[in-house]
Amino acid sequence: MSQVVALVVAAGRGSRFGADRPKQYVSLAGRAVLRHAAEALAAHPGIDAVRTVVHPEDGEAYAAATRGLDLLPPVHGGATRQDSVRLGLESLADIDPAKVLIHDGARPFVDAALVDRVLAALDEADGAIPAIAVSDTLKRVEAGRIVETVARDGLWRAQTPQGFVFHAILDAHEQASVDGGYSDDAAIAERAGLPVAIVQGSAENMKVTTQDDLTRAERWLAGGMEIRTGQGFDVHRFAEDREGPVMLCGVSVPHDRALAGHSDADVGLHVLVDAILGALAQGDIGSHFPPSDEQWKGADSAVFVRHVRDLVAGCGARILNVDITLICERPKIGPHRAEMAARIAELLGIDAGRVSVKGTTTEGLGFTGRREGIAAQAIATLQVPRSAA
């Protein structure tokens, strides 16, 4: 049973946004608004699966926006947000998760720390939502004139993802009236008598509703992020006492000998990990997975890649591009490049178009020319919040 599933609600038409497409598919820094949200949730180590609720007419737009992400198949939504969430929850019945996070597809900046707070609160309550205390003076207005000043004490602005015990919120949705006018899932939980906790939200966790919101989001990305680059270099010799195949970039490649190393000696994934760690300024692979530690003997290097993927997500960064060069006479890399790129993209949770794998030789020179081993180098480019830099 999956423990936590994130349900991304993206079936709305976004009429207030005023574009030629629903706001969740509008480009934000070169990627659809929806992709920012889905990618962040899919990369979170505490989330086992992500499903999106989409409009029946948005199949092509959704496929383009989420290409390369490891998501559950989408389901169609209903006429209202309430209908869409209920249909999404019902679609998860066969998965039967313990907890579910319900997130608006138009909130692109959900971060790992916020998700952590919601999940932690669910250990003590049936529901938990992120929110920010209201600090502005509130006015009630009628016909363009102020009629009342509203006390702001105890008022909070609700955000998503809103988290719930799965069966509790599913029952609450199925019992809620269709004309109840519920503005969020917490309201439906309240109506059902479920205790809902508040956790601290995030000022950056904005919802794109208007063109001004999109402009603000673009400015935040431009001002709040910086580009960081890391590089990795590694060498592994061929083992005299180990027959092939050889593991390269997560792919088993036919060869007469395997590489020597404490883990599975996947030199391609090792340089990838070092490059990403370099961009994050978080040491090298040896400091995270010491070769002296017996638990890493013969380990699948995919474990190391998933670790750095989670580090990236945890600090709110994202991987823009990785470029790996494998240097050897044999085995030939060309026939396996596409499979290697696809495997790396899968491990990192990014589009395969952001992964480059190349092979080259040293024209018979040096230890690689003598076919004594394989060298590899990698460069990783990340977009990192300035606060994490």
Short mmCIF file of all heavy atoms in Angstrom, two decimals, residues 198-224:
data_model
loop_
_atom_site.label_atom_id
_atom_site.label_comp_id
_atom_site.label_asym_id
_atom_site.label_seq_id
_atom_site.Cartn_x
_atom_site.Cartn_y
_atom_site.Cartn_z
N ILE A 198 -3.42 23.49 11.54
CA ILE A 198 -2.80 24.54 10.74
C ILE A 198 -1.28 24.43 10.90
O ILE A 198 -0.77 24.30 12.02
CB ILE A 198 -3.25 25.94 11.21
CG1 ILE A 198 -4.69 26.22 10.80
CG2 ILE A 198 -2.33 27.02 10.65
CD1 ILE A 198 -4.86 26.55 9.34
N VAL A 199 -0.56 24.48 9.78
CA VAL A 199 0.89 24.57 9.81
C VAL A 199 1.30 25.84 9.06
O VAL A 199 0.52 26.37 8.27
CB VAL A 199 1.58 23.33 9.20
CG1 VAL A 199 1.15 22.06 9.92
CG2 VAL A 199 1.30 23.22 7.71
N GLN A 200 2.50 26.28 9.31
CA GLN A 200 2.96 27.51 8.67
C GLN A 200 3.07 27.34 7.17
O GLN A 200 3.72 26.42 6.68
CB GLN A 200 4.31 27.93 9.24
CG GLN A 200 4.83 29.25 8.70
CD GLN A 200 3.90 30.41 9.00
OE1 GLN A 200 3.43 30.56 10.12
NE2 GLN A 200 3.63 31.24 8.00
N GLY A 201 2.44 28.22 6.44
CA GLY A 201 2.53 28.21 4.98
C GLY A 201 3.79 28.91 4.51
O GLY A 201 4.72 29.14 5.27
N SER A 202 3.81 29.25 3.23
CA SER A 202 4.98 29.90 2.63
C SER A 202 4.52 31.06 1.77
O SER A 202 3.59 30.93 0.97
CB SER A 202 5.75 28.89 1.78
OG SER A 202 6.71 29.53 0.97
N ALA A 203 5.19 32.19 1.93
CA ALA A 203 4.85 33.36 1.13
C ALA A 203 5.06 33.11 -0.35
O ALA A 203 4.37 33.69 -1.20
CB ALA A 203 5.68 34.56 1.59
N GLU A 204 6.01 32.23 -0.69
CA GLU A 204 6.28 31.94 -2.10
C GLU A 204 5.26 30.98 -2.70
O GLU A 204 5.17 30.84 -3.92
CB GLU A 204 7.68 31.32 -2.25
CG GLU A 204 8.83 32.30 -2.08
CD GLU A 204 9.11 32.60 -0.62
OE1 GLU A 204 8.78 31.73 0.23
OE2 GLU A 204 9.62 33.69 -0.32
N ASN A 205 4.46 30.33 -1.87
CA ASN A 205 3.50 29.32 -2.34
C ASN A 205 2.25 30.01 -2.88
O ASN A 205 1.12 29.75 -2.45
CB ASN A 205 3.16 28.36 -1.20
CG ASN A 205 2.31 27.19 -1.65
OD1 ASN A 205 2.35 26.78 -2.80
ND2 ASN A 205 1.51 26.66 -0.73
N MET A 206 2.44 30.86 -3.85
CA MET A 206 1.36 31.67 -4.40
C MET A 206 0.53 30.87 -5.40
O MET A 206 0.98 29.86 -5.95
CB MET A 206 1.94 32.89 -5.10
CG MET A 206 2.88 32.55 -6.26
SD MET A 206 3.50 33.99 -7.16
CE MET A 206 1.99 34.55 -7.93
N LYS A 207 -0.67 31.33 -5.64
CA LYS A 207 -1.55 30.73 -6.64
C LYS A 207 -1.64 31.66 -7.85
O LYS A 207 -1.90 32.85 -7.71
CB LYS A 207 -2.94 30.48 -6.07
CG LYS A 207 -3.87 29.73 -7.02
CD LYS A 207 -5.20 29.42 -6.34
CE LYS A 207 -6.12 28.63 -7.26
NZ LYS A 207 -7.41 28.33 -6.62
N VAL A 208 -1.39 31.11 -9.03
CA VAL A 208 -1.48 31.91 -10.25
C VAL A 208 -2.94 31.96 -10.68
O VAL A 208 -3.51 30.96 -11.13
CB VAL A 208 -0.62 31.30 -11.37
CG1 VAL A 208 -0.81 32.08 -12.68
CG2 VAL A 208 0.85 31.31 -10.96
N THR A 209 -3.55 33.13 -10.51
CA THR A 209 -4.96 33.32 -10.86
C THR A 209 -5.13 34.34 -11.97
O THR A 209 -5.99 34.22 -12.82
CB THR A 209 -5.76 33.76 -9.62
OG1 THR A 209 -5.63 32.77 -8.60
CG2 THR A 209 -7.23 33.93 -9.95
N THR A 210 -4.27 35.38 -11.97
CA THR A 210 -4.36 36.45 -12.96
C THR A 210 -3.02 36.62 -13.68
O THR A 210 -2.01 36.04 -13.29
CB THR A 210 -4.71 37.78 -12.27
OG1 THR A 210 -3.62 38.18 -11.42
CG2 THR A 210 -5.98 37.64 -11.43
N GLN A 211 -3.03 37.44 -14.72
CA GLN A 211 -1.79 37.74 -15.44
C GLN A 211 -0.79 38.42 -14.51
O GLN A 211 0.42 38.20 -14.63
CB GLN A 211 -2.10 38.65 -16.64
CG GLN A 211 -2.93 37.99 -17.74
CD GLN A 211 -2.08 37.08 -18.62
OE1 GLN A 211 -0.86 37.01 -18.49
NE2 GLN A 211 -2.73 36.37 -19.54
N ASP A 212 -1.28 39.25 -13.59
CA ASP A 212 -0.38 39.90 -12.63
C ASP A 212 0.31 38.86 -11.75
O ASP A 212 1.50 39.01 -11.41
CB ASP A 212 -1.16 40.88 -11.75
CG ASP A 212 -1.51 42.17 -12.47
OD1 ASP A 212 -0.91 42.42 -13.54
OD2 ASP A 212 -2.37 42.91 -11.98
N ASP A 213 -0.40 37.80 -11.39
CA ASP A 213 0.21 36.73 -10.60
C ASP A 213 1.34 36.07 -11.37
O ASP A 213 2.40 35.76 -10.81
CB ASP A 213 -0.83 35.68 -10.23
CG ASP A 213 -1.90 36.19 -9.28
OD1 ASP A 213 -1.60 37.12 -8.51
OD2 ASP A 213 -3.02 35.66 -9.32
N LEU A 214 1.11 35.83 -12.66
CA LEU A 214 2.15 35.19 -13.48
C LEU A 214 3.38 36.08 -13.57
O LEU A 214 4.52 35.60 -13.47
CB LEU A 214 1.61 34.89 -14.88
CG LEU A 214 2.57 34.14 -15.80
CD1 LEU A 214 2.81 32.72 -15.28
CD2 LEU A 214 2.02 34.08 -17.23
N THR A 215 3.16 37.38 -13.74
CA THR A 215 4.28 38.32 -13.79
C THR A 215 5.06 38.30 -12.47
O THR A 215 6.29 38.30 -12.45
CB THR A 215 3.77 39.74 -14.08
OG1 THR A 215 3.11 39.75 -15.35
CG2 THR A 215 4.92 40.74 -14.10
N ARG A 216 4.33 38.26 -11.37
CA ARG A 216 4.97 38.21 -10.06
C ARG A 216 5.77 36.92 -9.89
O ARG A 216 6.87 36.92 -9.32
CB ARG A 216 3.90 38.35 -8.97
CG ARG A 216 4.43 38.46 -7.56
CD ARG A 216 3.39 39.16 -6.66
NE ARG A 216 2.11 38.47 -6.71
CZ ARG A 216 1.72 37.54 -5.83
NH1 ARG A 216 2.54 37.19 -4.86
NH2 ARG A 216 0.54 36.99 -5.91
N ALA A 217 5.21 35.82 -10.39
CA ALA A 217 5.91 34.54 -10.31
C ALA A 217 7.21 34.56 -11.12
O ALA A 217 8.24 34.05 -10.69
CB ALA A 217 5.01 33.41 -10.79
N GLU A 218 7.14 35.15 -12.31
CA GLU A 218 8.35 35.27 -13.14
C GLU A 218 9.40 36.10 -12.43
O GLU A 218 10.60 35.77 -12.45
CB GLU A 218 7.99 35.90 -14.49
CG GLU A 218 7.08 35.07 -15.39
CD GLU A 218 7.87 34.06 -16.21
OE1 GLU A 218 9.07 33.91 -15.97
OE2 GLU A 218 7.25 33.42 -17.09
N ARG A 219 8.97 37.19 -11.81
CA ARG A 219 9.92 38.05 -11.10
C ARG A 219 10.53 37.32 -9.91
O ARG A 219 11.72 37.47 -9.62
CB ARG A 219 9.22 39.32 -10.63
CG ARG A 219 8.89 40.30 -11.76
CD ARG A 219 8.06 41.46 -11.25
NE ARG A 219 7.78 42.42 -12.30
CZ ARG A 219 6.89 43.40 -12.20
NH1 ARG A 219 6.20 43.55 -11.08
NH2 ARG A 219 6.68 44.23 -13.20
N TRP A 220 9.71 36.54 -9.22
CA TRP A 220 10.23 35.80 -8.07
C TRP A 220 11.28 34.79 -8.51
O TRP A 220 12.33 34.66 -7.88
CB TRP A 220 9.09 35.08 -7.34
CG TRP A 220 9.58 34.36 -6.12
CD1 TRP A 220 9.76 34.88 -4.88
CD2 TRP A 220 10.01 33.00 -6.04
NE1 TRP A 220 10.26 33.92 -4.02
CE2 TRP A 220 10.42 32.75 -4.71
CE3 TRP A 220 10.06 31.95 -6.96
CZ2 TRP A 220 10.88 31.51 -4.29
CZ3 TRP A 220 10.53 30.71 -6.55
CH2 TRP A 220 10.93 30.51 -5.21
N LEU A 221 11.00 34.08 -9.60
CA LEU A 221 11.97 33.12 -10.10
C LEU A 221 13.27 33.80 -10.50
O LEU A 221 14.37 33.32 -10.21
CB LEU A 221 11.40 32.36 -11.30
CG LEU A 221 10.48 31.18 -10.99
CD1 LEU A 221 9.96 30.57 -12.27
CD2 LEU A 221 11.20 30.13 -10.16
N ALA A 222 13.13 34.92 -11.17
CA ALA A 222 14.33 35.62 -11.65
C ALA A 222 15.14 36.19 -10.49
O ALA A 222 16.38 36.14 -10.49
CB ALA A 222 13.93 36.74 -12.60
N GLY A 223 14.46 36.70 -9.46
CA GLY A 223 15.16 37.34 -8.36
C GLY A 223 15.53 36.41 -7.24
O GLY A 223 16.47 36.67 -6.49
N GLY A 224 14.79 35.30 -7.09
CA GLY A 224 15.01 34.43 -5.96
C GLY A 224 15.88 33.22 -6.26
O GLY A 224 16.17 32.43 -5.36
#
